[in-house]
């Protein structure tokens, strides 16, 4: 019986909390240009909640405070009709863009049953600004402040987002980052980067040994390159990717 009593109280409490929140939101809307003007309150709140979770923000990311309130904390302090915050108008563009992707473009594909609808979260993944590609973030950090800074950035992002639906922590982005730097003759920096990667994250990463080998090869340090390709093959025997680079190296050595 005690349990049942608790449950009923709990449900009343939820209804109370919800109705307070609900009551702080106006019943009629005066400034809708993207949504249907006659949309019901329940539907509108559902859409707004979807925005907040898709972008990882609160209502006040898009909605400004009432007269004299610059940083509203309560719903009652918000002037929902105001367009003062630019993110609100950007959102209207985003709503039209998303609608157009789904209704004007994806509908042109015949087997459309196989496709999900594109939603805010498809691109935003819980972030106010959609996450940029990891290799681009690292490359930008490297250009600005060098390889130590790029490594630090990787550490930070990995600590915060590993396992989350935001950045790709497979080896592919690191491999792309590496290729870009090899093209700029930054082999030595790459050796440092991937040595740190081996020490910190995975001492059995054949991928990292391969990148170190490629970096040495790009600097004509053939013995070091071979040593690292050998280590990669020790971890992953007959790895086709490594063997391809090994062949390439042997051909280069022959030419010299
Ligand atoms: C990512 C931006 C964004 C977030 C976050 C957001 N909203 Fe909105 N909201 C909008 C946009 C854009 C409109 C206007 C839509 C239109 O023009 O049809 C709007 C309109 C409204 C309106 C109607 C205002 C009027 O009178 O025209 C209400 C009420 C509202 N939002 C409540 C909320 C609540 C409550 C939350 C938090 C749970 C929230 N919003 C979070 C972007 C946002
Ligand atoms: C196809 C991918 C895609 C979809 C879908 C999408 N967005 Fe965006 N959104 C972006 C990109 C890319 C940017 C960054 C634009 C820039 O700054 O150059 C952005 C920027 C924004 C911003 C500005 C962020 C800031 O810096 O303040 C808001 C707000 C936003 N989107 C809301 C939404 C909402 C709400 C939806 C769903 C209705 C949505 N977006 C759907 C790709 C998308």
């Amino acid at each position: 019986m005690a349990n049942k009593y608790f449950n009923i109280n709990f449900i009343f409490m939820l209804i109370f909390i919800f109705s307070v929140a609900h009551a702080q939101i106006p019943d009629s809307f005066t400034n809708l240009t993207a949504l249907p003007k006659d949309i019901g309150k329940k539907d509108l709140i559902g859409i707004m909640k979807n925005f907040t979770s898709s972008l990882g923000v609160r209502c006040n990311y898009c909605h400004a405070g009432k007269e004299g309130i610059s940083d509203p904390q309560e719903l009652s302090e918000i002037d929902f009709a105001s367009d003062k915050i630019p993110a609100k108008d950007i959102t209207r563009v985003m709503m039209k863009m998303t609608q157009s992707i789904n209704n004007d473009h994806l509908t042109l594909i015949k087997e459309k049953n196989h496709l999900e609808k594109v939603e805010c979260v498809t691109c935003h993944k819980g972030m106010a600004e959609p996450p940029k590609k990891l290799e681009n973030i690292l490359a930008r950090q490297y250009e600005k402040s060098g390889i130590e800074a790029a490594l630090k950035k990787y550490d930070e992002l990995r600590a915060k987002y590993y396992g989350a639906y935001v950045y790709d922590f497979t080896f592919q982005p690191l491999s792309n980052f590496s290729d870009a730097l090899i093209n700029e003759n930054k082999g030595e920096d790459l050796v440092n980067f991937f040595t740190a990667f081996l020490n910190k994250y995975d001492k059995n990463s054949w991928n990292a040994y391969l990148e170190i080998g490629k970096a040495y090869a790009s600097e004509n340090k053939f013995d070091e390159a071979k040593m690292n390709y050998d280590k990669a093959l020790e971890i992953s025997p007959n790895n086709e990717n490594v063997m391809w680079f090994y062949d390439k190296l042997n051909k280069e050595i022959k030419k010299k």
Side-chain angles (χ1 to χ4, degrees), residues 2-136:
N3 238 345
K4 196 174 172 198
Y5 180 73
F6 169 78
N7 278 341
I8 286 170
N9 258 334
F10 187 64
I11 289 163
F12 274 127
M13 196 175 77
L14 283 184
I15 290 171
F16 177 73
I17 289 171
F18 182 72
S19 52
V20 169
H22 207 78
Q24 290 174 337
I25 297 168
D27 291 319
S28 59
F29 313 120
T30 56
N31 189 19
L32 300 182
T33 60
L35 294 168
K37 290 195 193 321
D38 59 351
I39 189 170
K41 185 168 174 176
K42 207 170 144 218
D43 288 343
L44 181 123
I45 291 175
I47 291 169
M48 295 300 146
K49 286 199 168 147
N50 178 270
F51 290 170
T52 56
S53 65
S54 303
L55 272 64
V57 297
R58 294 170 51 204
C59 310
N60 63 6
Y61 187 78
C62 297
H63 290 293
K66 287 178 177 162
E67 194 72 40
I69 299 172
S70 60
D71 183 21
Q73 295 302 314
E74 309 282 335
L75 294 180
S76 60
E77 296 174 353
I78 291 179
D79 175 4
F80 287 104
S82 161
D83 285 345
K84 211 158 130 197
I85 297 182
K88 188 179 175 194
D89 234 7
I90 296 176
T91 293
R92 290 190 173 107
V93 175
M94 292 280 150
M95 292 164 78
K96 284 173 193 153
M97 176 187 75
T98 306
Q99 227 169 30
S100 168
I101 293 174
N102 288 317
N103 297 344
D104 306 337
H105 302 283
L106 292 182
T107 45
L108 300 178
I109 296 171
K110 291 226 162 51
E111 291 184 56
K112 60 176 184 276
N113 292 341
H114 298 298
L115 295 171
E116 272 183 16
K117 270 193 160 192
V118 171
E119 300 171 66
C120 315
V121 76
T122 312
C123 299
H124 281 264
K125 299 180 175 174
M127 309 264 278
E129 261 188 66
K132 303 195 165 49
K133 283 161 75 181
L134 187 54
E135 55 265 54
N136 293 350

